[in-house]
Amino acid sequence: PALMRFLSSSSSSSSSSLPVLNPPSMPSPLPALGEDAAGYDASHKRRIVNALLYRSKQRGFLELDLLLGQWAEANIKSLDDEQLKLYAQILKCENPDLYSWLTNQTSPPEEVASNPIWTQIKKASDDFLRKQSAGAQAPAGTPWIRGWNDLQKRGDKDDIVVEK
């Protein structure tokens, strides 16, 4: 509110000439792959691959950054135009959904499950998770967020030291 008053008052007074600050313009989205064969070149594909790789590794969800980022780093450069489009569709999904699908907590919708790139990512994710400690994973079909006293609720009191 104070900034808005300042901006409106300074723009109405002619004695001070403040520069008008415009927000930086966002770059235009990349055109879809394969749409214009005449304008399509290797640098266009490289920009798309780099953008998808960035979105795979920098999702703001550490577990997905690892699962998707490792798969993308190993496979994205070998994908053709159609496969890149399919991968971009997967990256449009919300982080919690992707994570619950990749960790077998819930099943993905049919449009994701039928995506051939999803099948590759899911297989790589399953292999990665299989190599991890069993205690670091939620059993299939159970929530991945647990409370501090879940062990007490289950009755596994051998692992818990409670001070009274």
Side-chain angles (χ1 to χ4, degrees):
L3 178 60
M4 295 305 290
R5 280 189 304 238
F6 170 75
L7 292 176
S8 63
S9 67
S10 64
S11 63
S12 62
S13 69
S14 59
S15 61
S16 67
S17 146
L18 292 175
V20 176
L21 299 175
N22 293 322
S25 61
M26 295 298 291
S28 61
L30 294 171
L33 281 173
E35 274 186 2
D36 182 12
Y40 183 76
D41 60 1
S43 68
H44 175 70
K45 183 173 181 177
R46 187 173 58 248
R47 287 185 305 165
I48 291 175
V49 165
N50 288 342
L52 293 175
L53 186 59
Y54 180 81
R55 288 193 339 205
S56 301
K57 296 171 90 174
Q58 302 291 327
R59 296 190 64 89
F61 195 113
L62 179 61
E63 293 83 352
L64 280 178
D65 293 347
L66 293 172
L67 293 172
L68 292 175
Q70 288 177 3
W71 183 88
E73 204 166 278
N75 297 288
I76 199 165
K77 291 182 180 174
S78 65
L79 300 180
D80 63 20
D81 295 356
E82 189 59 36
Q83 291 172 323
L84 288 172
K85 285 182 191 179
L86 292 171
Y87 185 54
Q89 290 174 355
I90 292 170
L91 292 180
K92 288 180 183 177
C93 296
E94 295 292 329
N95 286 345
D97 293 334
L98 281 172
Y99 186 74
S100 68
W101 300 334
L102 285 171
T103 56
N104 299 318
Q105 296 169 40
T106 59
S107 298
E110 182 57 34
E111 61 269 11
V112 174
S114 63
N115 185 326
I117 299 299
W118 172 258
T119 309
Q120 294 177 28
I121 295 169
K122 181 71 175 103
K123 182 183 180 316
S125 174
D126 288 345
D127 291 345
F128 177 79
L129 293 174
R130 194 176 304 107
K131 294 175 186 174
Q132 305 306 310
S133 164
Q137 304 176 44
T142 59
W144 58 278
I145 298 176
R146 295 188 355 204
W148 63 271
N149 65 345
D150 281 354
L151 294 176
Q152 289 175 338
K153 290 179 186 175
R154 289 193 334 220
D156 297 342
K157 296 182 180 179
D158 296 338
D159 298 338
I160 300 172
V161 176
V162 181
E163 295 181 22
K164 293 186 181 186

